[in-house]
Amino acid sequence: MGFLDSILGRSKPKQANLDALFLVPSAAITLQTTLGLTPTGDGSVCYRAAAGAGFSQTQGDVLELLRDAADAPEVEVSSDSFGFTWLQVHRDASDTSGLCTDLHAVNTGLEAEGFGPALLCSLVPFADPTGRRVGLVYLYKQGTFYPFAPQPGGAQQRDNLLEIQVRDVLAAELPVEREMSRWLAIWGAPGL
Amino acid sequence: MIVRILGEGQLDVPESALDRLNELDAAVEAAVESSDEAGFATALAALLDGVREVGTAHPADALDESDMILPPADATIDEVRAMLGDDGLIPG
Amino acid sequence: MARTRFVPDRGLTTRMTLVMFLLGALFVALIGALMGIFAQYGGPGLAVLIGIGGLGVVWYQWWSSDKVAMRAMRAREVTPEEAPELHGMIDRLCALADMPKPRVGVADMAIPNAFATGRSPDRSVVCVTTGILGTLTAEELEGVLAHELSHVAHRDVLVMTVASSAGIVAGMLASGSRYGAFLGGNRRDNNNALPLWLVVMLVSLITYAISFVLLKVLSRYRELAADRAGAYLTMQPQALASALQKITGEMNAIPDRDLRASKSMNAFFIAPAIKGVSLRTLTSTHPSLEQRLEQLARIQAELGRPGA
């Protein structure tokens, strides 16, 4: 936000940066070959439901769009303890690009109605044969990815070693979030 | 119609009462223009009472814009003149 | 193309720019007047010296604003482990707003209030009182935090401190010139000219009074701007509106003893720590509760508008 804008106190909401999601399918292949992590077939978009009828109507249209498609994915909407909404999509684990197209449809659907600033992140979970899970999280406002690997068993601990591994493996392929303080912890996110 | 009385909150006022309230409002404006202190005090009190009579309290948690904003009961004639001249309560 | 629901409030911006311009002009006028006065008494350099000295004070106030505030409020910094929900909320808001995350502090005070300070977004602190943590729901607290983060994003500490430079220099001069009176500064070298200290005192007091009023007006505009940006950040104007009503209501109920304690920290508190809501609060640092609710209602209507 420009210095002048901030001085005049008219900070405009930050628009989301949507296109990087299509890098995920190739990243999925790299994760599989290097770390043995495979997509779980889940994917979700996290956003802040705006007050008023406008938003619920927009969200309804987006859900309808997803569900009416020919090979429609399973779609589920839930909200978390912070009051953010998670729109979760589930497809066959092999169809990552189809999944990303669905997530993109949600993003553009919300953005077209002016709710771009409400988008927080997208999440594509991966798992390895031993059951460890890591989510590839995309931050709309920063246009960057980062890994989030909760330790199994409820305690809010992160498997930082696995996260660093994932970051280094994908560093060449995706814009990875350098600033570790921005690696938002999303406990209880769907699919993790 | 939602009417806010400064310092008291918002009231839902039926449209039917509009014209009577406009008469009372005109009296207040006349008093302000003619700088008639005594007349102003009674006119303002009558207007606010008129609104309170016909109005029912607007739910506090509902966030709705007021169609009309009335000065507080203890407003002075200068404040109301400023308020009438100014572009209302919110700058710009 | 992405449609935006953000409706800029041009009126607010233009008025704010005007007031900031006036404050800048006031500072220049003060220094100019001083140079004129001191020139008459031989020594224009002294005026520039005082101006620079004043700016030094202004700079220090801005530079150490977070430390000073935290100490003034006896607030202590909390780590994410100590306050996971609070940090989680702020993390998400900063991600939504794409701004660096400030440090988080908690002040052990009964008044339900929150404030943000610090010299720049990368070096700032957001502090809440234990009173507010007990009063508000999570969503309301988030509305308040979004308001405070907007203060940080708008660099309000920088703006308000610089804007008050004229007032600060004038204040220094006014107190400084009092000593001038005692130290025999009343020799009259050019016939009936007023003694130096008296002229300086008059100029400073006038400047201080003007800057005092202008600062209050500017502070009210900054609050409205922070409300607006905060409402667009959380997309829930209702949350901030109900928080404000709760805080202002609670504020009036709290015994005076606590209110006086917060007198000095008033500028960036979310709600005015003064009782009563009336049009005559010319010197209030915050727009009246109703003004803020009306603006939030307008934003709510804009956000809620059904799609095209």
Side-chain angles (χ1 to χ4, degrees), chain C residues 3-295:
Chain C
R3 209 162 60 89
T4 175
R5 285 177 179 262
F6 175 79
V7 180
D9 185 336
R10 286 209 174 55
L12 184 58
T13 313
T14 38
R15 280 171 181 252
M16 202 187 291
T17 319
L18 173 67
V19 169
M20 289 187 337
F21 172 74
L22 286 177
L23 281 162
L26 189 67
F27 183 76
V28 170
L30 175 70
I31 295 298
L34 288 177
M35 293 184 73
I37 297 168
F38 279 98
Q40 210 181 20
Y41 292 82
L46 191 56
V48 174
L49 205 65
I50 291 177
I52 292 168
L55 286 182
V57 169
V58 167
W59 179 82
Y60 176 72
Q61 267 192 356
W62 164 65
W63 187 258
S64 62
S65 52
D66 49 354
K67 281 194 295 297
V68 166
M70 290 288 270
R71 226 179 303 115
M73 292 292 293
R74 293 182 305 283
R76 58 178 174 74
E77 203 176 324
V78 283
T79 62
E81 289 68 31
E82 284 167 314
E85 297 82 19
L86 192 56
H87 271 275
M89 240 184 244
I90 293 177
D91 283 338
R92 289 183 177 222
L93 286 174
C94 288
L96 274 179
D98 188 21
M99 60 187 284
K101 178 182 172 190
R103 284 174 293 133
V104 180
V106 175
D108 195 3
M109 289 180 78
I111 320 168
N113 237 316
F115 70 89
T117 183
R119 54 176 178 267
S120 72
D122 330 321
R123 167 77 196 205
S124 59
V125 63
V126 169
C127 187
V128 292
T129 61
T130 44
I132 203 171
L133 294 176
T135 313
L136 299 185
T137 65
E139 203 174 45
E140 286 165 350
L141 180 62
E142 191 179 41
V144 167
L145 289 172
H147 168 95
E148 294 307 327
L149 287 174
S150 303
H151 273 307
V152 172
H154 292 168
R155 296 173 192 269
D156 278 347
V157 173
L158 173 69
V159 169
M160 291 307 285
T161 316
V162 169
S164 62
S165 42
I168 291 172
V169 170
M172 276 167 55
L173 277 171
S175 49
S177 56
R178 265 209 317 277
Y179 299 119
F182 299 127
L183 303 178
N186 48 17
R187 17 173 205 82
R188 295 179 188 212
D189 34 28
N190 37 21
N191 43 56
N192 53 11
L194 287 172
L196 171 64
W197 63 269
L198 188 59
V199 176
V200 167
M201 172 85 89
L202 281 178
V203 166
S204 332
L205 289 183
I206 295 166
T207 315
Y208 192 82
I210 300 172
S211 108
F212 181 81
V213 171
L214 284 179
L215 278 176
K216 297 300 177 214
V217 173
L218 180 59
S219 168
R220 286 202 296 275
Y221 289 151
R222 301 307 286 192
E223 282 304 319
L224 282 172
D227 279 358
R228 155 176 291 280
Y232 275 111
L233 184 56
T234 60
M235 295 265 180
Q236 305 276 355
Q238 172 61 42
L240 180 56
S242 57
L244 283 176
Q245 280 166 312
K246 252 189 197 175
I247 292 175
T248 313
E250 183 99 354
M251 185 73 72
N252 294 347
I254 292 208
D256 273 348
R257 185 176 40 74
D258 291 354
L259 292 189
R260 267 189 308 283
S262 72
K263 256 299 165 274
S264 64
M265 278 306 304
N266 211 335
F268 295 114
F269 268 42
I270 181 119
I274 48 170
K275 287 196 179 145
V277 180
S278 73
L279 221 53
R280 278 185 300 281
T281 50
L282 182 59
T283 61
S284 148
T285 58
H286 286 67
S288 73
L289 175 63
E290 277 130 345
Q291 229 176 332
R292 302 173 82 170
L293 295 181
E294 288 297 330
Q295 174 179 254

Side-chain angles (χ1 to χ4, degrees), chain A residues 35 37 39 41 43 49 53 62 74 92 100 107 113 120 122 125 128 132 134 136-137 154-155 166 169:
Chain A
L35 295 171
L37 285 161
V62 165
E74 293 154 45
D92 176 64
C100 289
N107 301 339
E113 288 306 316
L120 178 66
S122 274
D128 74 359
R132 285 192 311 176
V134 62
L136 190 53
V137 186
V166 168
V169 158

Side-chain angles (χ1 to χ4, degrees), chain B residues 4-10 60-66 69 72 74-76 79 83 86-87 89-92, chain C residues 9-12 15 221 224 237-238 241-242 245 277-280 288 290-291 293-301:
Chain B
R4 176 188 292 278
I5 299 179
L6 279 182
E8 289 174 25
Q10 290 177 314
D61 49 14
L63 185 60
D64 301 308
E65 279 185 84
S66 316
I69 298 177
D74 57 2
T76 63
E79 273 164 9
M83 205 174 150
D86 198 351
D87 41 23
L89 206 53
I90 301 172
Chain C
D9 185 336
R10 286 209 174 55
L12 184 58
R15 280 171 181 252
Y221 289 151
L224 282 172
Q238 172 61 42
S242 57
Q245 280 166 312
V277 180
S278 73
L279 221 53
R280 278 185 300 281
S288 73
E290 277 130 345
Q291 229 176 332
L293 295 181
E294 288 297 330
Q295 174 179 254
L296 287 171
R298 217 175 33 209
I299 295 173
Q300 171 113 320

Side-chain angles (χ1 to χ4, degrees), chain B residues 50-62:
Chain B
V51 172
R52 292 191 196 104
E53 262 161 44
V54 295
T56 51
H58 189 69
D61 49 14

